[in-house]
Amino acid sequence: MKEKNATSEEQNIHTDFKENMTYGDYLQLDKILNAQQRLSGHHDEVLFIIIHQVSELWMKLILHELQAAVTAIHDNDLSSAQKKLARVSKTQSQIIQAWDVLATMTPSEYMEFRDSLGQASGFQSFQYRMIEFALGYKLPHVLKIYEKDAALLAQLQQAYEAPSIYDAAIAALKRNGLAIDDCVSHRDFTKSYQENESVRQAWITVYQNPKTYWELYELAEKLVDIEDWLQQWRFRHMKTVERIIGFKTGTGGSSGVSYLKKVLDQRFFPELWDLRTEL
């Protein structure tokens, strides 16, 4: 049987873009692909820049989905919130895998251009801070880092003062008839969330009666997924840093690996983890 010419079957492919938008135009690839400006002449600095730029793009998507999920929960559309949170978890897996690529860079290679970074550090990532805020972990001193940019500081301040995804989930517990202390419902959202007995009992009730509270049960598991993946990201971050610079101080002035090990102990949704021991 005579093979068909693939080209002859694709006569309708558009090739004239003098007046029309192209794929590159839509994605603004001219800006994206020209945003890797090395400060040294070292080959591996391109890898270093791209890994961090891609991670920031993924974090932008995470924030987009978390903010939409909070709105959906407030609107009592828990199934929509669950889908958005599931997307967050899949996105987190992409960021985790990025560390494997960065880990192909050796200590000797990194030291060739590390001084070019000055005091710039991933510690200063404002999107990462906004993700922490969205999950309920809030420390006022980190806002000082962003005083250089008034517009950015205002954006961060708004996120800092807003209820977290966990606050939204706790409000959903209360709307569904589960007893939540008023001190939790009306708490100061600029403070990191602290464990509460009424919240613990409410989640235990949900987990003991999943058929009755199916959407809350599924919502809780999506939140656990997100915290699980975030801690895996932090662990891979810590091990990659240790692999490349050991226990040197970070470019941003942090203690480096020692600091990254400490944050592994941070918890966002404590009752959802503690109840596993009690069930």
Side-chain angles (χ1 to χ4, degrees), residues 253-270:
S254 75
S255 58
V257 169
S258 297
Y259 167 79
L260 295 173
K261 284 184 175 180
K262 289 177 184 176
V263 299
L264 289 173
D265 292 329
Q266 293 173 1
R267 299 204 301 173
F268 297 94
F269 318 130

Side-chain angles (χ1 to χ4, degrees), residues 123 125-134 142 146 156 259:
F123 187 84
S125 168
F126 76 89
Q127 292 197 119
Y128 178 74
R129 295 302 172 191
M130 289 181 71
I131 290 172
E132 285 190 326
F133 295 167
V142 301
Y146 310 100
L156 281 154
Y259 167 79

Side-chain angles (χ1 to χ4, degrees), residues 57-71 84 87-88 127 131:
L57 285 172
W58 282 130
M59 282 192 274
K60 183 174 183 177
L61 179 59
I62 287 172
L63 285 167
H64 178 69
E65 299 298 341
L66 282 175
Q67 290 160 1
V70 169
T71 300
K84 291 171 174 61
R87 184 175 292 162
V88 169
Q127 292 197 119
I131 290 172

Side-chain angles (χ1 to χ4, degrees), residues 188-244:
D188 181 355
F189 297 125
T190 66
K191 308 292 184 183
S192 292
Y193 177 79
Q194 300 296 320
E195 295 181 55
N196 175 268
E197 179 63 20
S198 69
V199 174
R200 186 179 70 85
Q201 290 296 336
W203 282 125
I204 287 175
T205 299
V206 168
Y207 273 76
Q208 288 177 334
N209 302 277
K211 292 182 179 179
T212 304
Y213 300 104
W214 179 253
E215 287 198 322
L216 289 169
Y217 178 76
E218 282 288 285
L219 176 63
E221 284 298 291
K222 294 296 185 292
L223 292 174
V224 170
D225 287 342
I226 288 171
E227 182 166 347
D228 190 348
W229 281 109
L230 180 65
Q231 294 295 52
Q232 290 187 53
W233 180 89
R234 284 173 161 178
F235 179 79
R236 287 297 297 126
H237 183 190
M238 181 269 292
K239 293 306 294 183
T240 303
V241 171
E242 184 177 1
R243 175 173 177 156
I244 296 175

